[in-house]
Amino acid sequence: MLLLFPTPSFPANFTPSKPFSLPHRRLLLLRCKAADFDSFTERSGYLFDLTASEADSLTEYGVSKIAAVYRRKPLILFRRLYQIGTTFGKWFALRYLDRVYDRSDLMFQIRAAELRKILVELGPAYIKIAQAISSRPDLIPPSYLDELSLLQDRISPFSTEVAFNTIEQELGLPIDEIFSEISPEPIAAASLGQVYQARLRRSGEVVAVKVQRPGVQAAISLDILILRFLAGLLMRAGKLNTDLQAVVDEWASSLFREMDYIKEANNGLRFRQLYGGLPDVLVPKMFVEHSTRKVLVMEWVEGKKLSEVEDLYLVEVGVYCSFNQLLEYGFYHADPHPGNLLRTYDGKLAYLDFGMMGEFKQELRDGFIEACLHLVNRDFDALAKDFVTLGLLPPTADREAVTKALTGLFQDAVAKGVRNISFGDLLGNLGTTMYKFKFQIPSYFSLVIRSLAVLEGIAISFNPDYKVLGSTYPWIARKVLTDSSPQLKSSLQNLLYEEGVFRIDRLESLLMESLRARTEKALVRIPAEETNSRVVVKQVLSFTLTEKGAFVRDILLQEIAKGLDALGIATLDSITSTATASIPFISFFSFSSMTDEDKVNLRTLHRLMLLVSGHQSTENTNTGLGGVSPYKSQNVYPEEASLVFNQLASVQEILPILSVISELPPESQQQLFSLPADLAGRLISRVTARTIRRMFL
């Protein structure tokens, strides 16, 4: 539901900034009495005929309650089934005749308009389904997209007299005691209600007054009962693994919560508290004292639909806000169709309509993050485990076969790099695999994916190459590197250490991706000219020297200590080799004490030196690496040692590190100066352990 049209249709003397004066209300109501019903009321008004007790029983979603009501009203049930069947049947028959007479292209736009009209006549449940797909230009033809997009905000309003009477009945006061001014016509009408602009009499604040459409609860209840029955038939006939009735139940529950405006007001308050402080995000103020189950009063917001302004920056803001919703707090907007996302005139992203919200539990949030990590790093065996955790796969599934199938399914999509992965790539051939391995779609999952898919759909309408996962992954990488959750720390440990060997390539990938994430205080793009080594050094140090970076800092110190130990052995070997080179016969023997592990540690030290000096290694620079052997090129350790020495001795490479120290916060500088002592302690401990081991073992 929306607060406004970008270009609403008003009387010639009306402007939204000048609400309607209440003394003229009587004339307005007389005019409204002569107005025609909206098409939904006209075609489906028979659904509203419920007693007060029956209507009260439908305030909360419950299949048994709905079934009990309509078990006593079989004629209404059969009439609705007949209406739905004949309406859609006629439309499909016409589409079939178009194909038979080879006029499909000619009639395409006409049929799209007819479908929109049918959905409006059938009511809110069908409009909601259409809204869910109207934000995906990559999935539906343009003519249908244009028509279905009109369902986001341009639906025929119901009688203003009915709306004003509802306001007075719900708030228990004459309307002119609440508002000093109110618009003579609704500013916007949507599937569940319509909105008026008004001015509060006491405070003078301009507000949006949303009034629920009469009869929606009864109509939606019956349609859900029918859809749930059809879902059961489809599930049995198609032998599907997904519990389609549970998916309908989840959607229906959220839809019933959306019809309770008290809950929506409280949702808005919570959403504003959690996300209203994010840069360039606007969440309107709620007036709970003036809100009831059927009337909602909130701050007036003006702007244009995000899908109409081609502002990719605000899409990025939306991605960041979605990351916070889904993976930080778990409280997310479950109905973010383009009509609910506005670009305000001062350039902010405004969220509207807080009726349909979702909760993402902590264990599922962690599981979702782990799945993204394992997908990007091509760890398909771990990804199969994640699918079990997320409820997508039954625990009894053959994991080895699933891993093989996922490898074949996602290998090509992931090979292009995380910044180029789209939902289409991931979902392309998933259908067959889902059926084969009894994949399930948990009821929560469809809402979560939809919240991200809508943003990608808006973005690709003006930038076909946009990938929402590529924009979200930097935040996922940063969260994995900084989160205090034991589960995510364990996942990071397992990701970085494969069979006990440190994967520096994966740490490089995570760090570089996390640096692409905009900070909460400066949600802006980093200009290309600033992405030099000095900026990278500052960002890496700023991250690793904070409390949140303690876990990664500990790993880095541990690996640097290993590398310095290996460097010492390589140096000793080099000195020994040089000293014995002139001794006859001795030069034919090798006295190297370097182990395979030492050689890997030496190579890792070189990579770490490149990393902290702001130069990413040229090896394996693709984000998300496969199974590159850590023991590759073991025989070049003398050259590797020489490179490390050169790196340590190069003033030019050290200068970027030294130059940014003074710019770090005092606590970070203090932490930095304590690192040498910590590193020395680790190195001494490692050398001592090595010496004792070689002496006595």
Side-chain angles (χ1 to χ4, degrees), residues 58 62-73 77 221-222 225:
L58 299 179
V63 177
S64 58
K65 293 179 181 178
I66 297 173
V69 169
Y70 288 103
R71 195 176 292 119
R72 298 190 296 270
K73 297 178 179 291
L77 173 60
S221 297
L222 180 53
L225 191 66

Side-chain angles (χ1 to χ4, degrees), residues 588-604:
F588 293 103
F589 300 93
S590 173
F591 291 95
S592 174
S593 56
M594 292 281 287
T595 64
D596 286 345
E597 180 185 354
D598 293 328
K599 296 170 186 177
V600 173
N601 291 339
L602 188 59
R603 178 174 290 276
T604 297

Side-chain angles (χ1 to χ4, degrees), residues 66 124-125 192 215-225 255-256 259:
I66 297 173
L192 299 185
V216 292
Q217 214 138 18
I220 286 176
S221 297
L222 180 53
D223 287 337
I224 286 172
L225 191 66
L255 199 52
F256 266 72
M259 288 186 286

Side-chain angles (χ1 to χ4, degrees), residues 555-577:
I555 290 175
L556 288 173
L557 287 173
Q558 176 180 310
E559 294 305 319
I560 291 173
K562 289 180 182 179
L564 291 175
D565 182 28
L567 182 62
I569 296 171
T571 304
L572 182 62
D573 283 354
S574 180
I575 294 172
T576 303
S577 177

